[in-house]
Amino acid sequence: MTDRNPDICVITCAVTGVLANRKQCPHIPYTPVEIAEEAKRAYDAGASVLHIHARNDDGTPTFEPAVFAKIKDEIEKRCPILLNFSSGTITEDVSMQATYIKQSRPHIAALNMGTMNYSKYSESRKQFVFDMVFPNTYSKIIKLLEAMNEAGVKPELECFDTGHTHGIWPLLDMGVLKKPLQFSFIVNVLGGIPPLVESLQLQTKIMPAGSEWEVIGISKCGWKMISAAAVLGGNVRAGLEDNLYLPNGQMAKSNGELVEVAARIVRDVGRRPATVEEAKQILSLDRFTPQEPKTHTAPVARA
């Protein structure tokens, strides 16, 4: 791991997500060009990493490798922001995800680290808006890690709960996951860890020493959690995937507006947003180079 200046904070922008649509927020980008324009706004506001889901032109999610390739091409025409592709899917088949990771070779790929209830509850309606299980078996995780290793792509370990963070140890033992590690701690998803400062403190105690981490606060708690992570020395994520509203309650008109607030919070606690080159060093992206695929056996339980 490179020497880490604690006063520098990597800001990631989650530009579009997979669930939110223009009925909820008219500014959600769908097409590769729209996503790229939002990428430029986020970059200009202080983001050095862009987390990307792909959409069809009508806003529905897609995992087509050609769409991810087009998004990458359009973004690179506009700014040098680091690219983080989502690999999340509710199916066990990750062949399309593996394909676009190996073909497009983003700098980073997000990797969900455990199975969980993934639900949203409406207190006003007294019912669930959606209620599902998000399956992420070790076999599924290993397939994605092998694709990332082959392509030289850094995995970003998305952990919704403490068991996800602790559960990485078999992957390290097998050698399919290698240090230094990069974590994202997602809070305020029903079924996962609550949006508390103590949640972040516990997660950072569980993760291996020397790891980098960021917070992903879903909905209006996001601003408090970004503030907490900024104080605790973590990195932060903002964007229309996570939260549609500015701290004053007004709907954001762009991802750039959300990143501007995150950058201001970072500066207000005496830190500053990382440049792209600084983010590369902090996240140790130079350590990840393409390699030959390997075959691994399934992990076993620790005695």
Side-chain angles (χ1 to χ4, degrees):
M1 184 175 177
T2 56
D3 291 336
R4 176 67 159 104
N5 183 339
D7 292 337
I8 302 176
C9 177
V10 177
I11 299 178
T12 295
C13 179
V15 70
T16 187
V18 69
L19 293 177
N21 58 57
R22 287 181 180 160
K23 292 181 181 179
Q24 298 164 295
C25 174
H27 311 295
I28 299 281
Y30 287 170
T31 69
V33 168
E34 291 168 350
I35 290 172
E37 291 293 332
E38 285 295 288
K40 180 63 162 58
R41 295 184 184 101
Y43 170 76
D44 289 344
S48 51
V49 181
L50 196 79
H51 177 69
I52 299 166
H53 293 260
R55 307 271 194 134
N56 294 307
D57 288 354
D58 65 358
T60 55
T62 181
F63 302 105
E64 286 292 336
V67 179
F68 278 91
K70 182 64 173 176
I71 292 170
K72 178 183 178 183
D73 180 62
E74 292 293 341
I75 291 172
E76 288 179 341
K77 291 176 183 177
R78 291 164 173 80
C79 65
I81 197 166
L82 302 174
L83 303 183
N84 174 334
F85 283 4
S86 168
S87 69
T89 174
I90 61 173
T91 68
E92 191 68 20
D93 181 6
V94 294
S95 55
M96 294 187 79
Q97 287 77 9
T99 298
Y100 63 67
I101 287 169
K102 289 187 284 188
Q103 288 184 353
S104 288
R105 292 183 57 195
H107 305 90
I108 304 164
L111 182 62
N112 295 290
M113 296 309 296
T115 297
M116 63 179 295
N117 284 335
Y118 196 95
S119 306
K120 182 177 181 180
Y121 179 72
S122 170
E123 292 179 277
S124 61
R125 287 183 272 172
K126 305 300 180 188
Q127 64 183 29
F128 286 91
V129 178
F130 58 84
D131 181 20
M132 56 182 281
V133 173
F134 187 15
N136 293 289
T137 61
Y138 277 112
S139 62
K140 180 177 174 180
I141 292 168
I142 289 168
K143 289 174 186 175
L144 289 166
L145 274 174
E146 288 175 337
M148 295 175 198
N149 289 338
E150 182 179 341
V153 173
K154 174 76 176 280
E156 174 222 333
L157 310 179
E158 297 213 338
C159 298
F160 293 79
D161 214 336
T162 53
H164 298 172
T165 308
H166 173 68
I168 68 164
W169 74 263
L171 305 170
L172 289 168
D173 188 62
M174 294 165 64
V176 71
L177 181 63
K178 298 176 178 63
K179 296 180 180 179
L181 303 177
Q182 177 186 348
F183 287 88
S184 285
F185 298 134
I186 303 96
V187 300
N188 203 39
V189 172
L190 192 58
I193 203 164
L196 302 171
V197 174
E198 291 83 356
S199 295
L200 299 182
Q201 292 172 319
L202 178 57
Q203 290 281 54
T204 56
K205 287 181 180 179
I206 295 171
M207 74 180 189
S211 300
E212 281 293 325
W213 66 277
E214 73 174 3
V215 70
I216 301 174
I218 303 302
S219 192
K220 62 183 180 181
C221 78
W223 297 120
K224 293 179 182 178
M225 299 314 296
I226 285 172
S227 300
V231 171
L232 292 173
N235 300 312
V236 302
R237 191 176 101 170
L240 290 172
E241 175 176 352
D242 302 336
N243 178 21
L244 304 178
Y245 295 93
L246 298 167
N248 63 7
Q250 293 182 345
M251 181 173 286
K253 294 184 175 64
S254 71
N255 281 278
E257 284 192 341
L258 296 169
V259 173
E260 283 176 3
V261 176
R264 186 180 71 226
I265 291 171
V266 166
R267 293 187 181 99
D268 283 348
V269 300
R271 303 175 69 191
R272 66 171 176 82
T275 66
V276 167
E277 287 304 316
E278 288 169 338
K280 284 182 181 178
Q281 295 178 2
I282 290 167
L283 301 179
S284 302
L285 299 186
D286 60 331
R287 306 276 187 98
F288 289 80
T289 55
Q291 60 183 248
E292 292 299 319
K294 297 179 181 179
T295 301
H296 298 276
T297 58
V300 295
R302 174 152 47 180

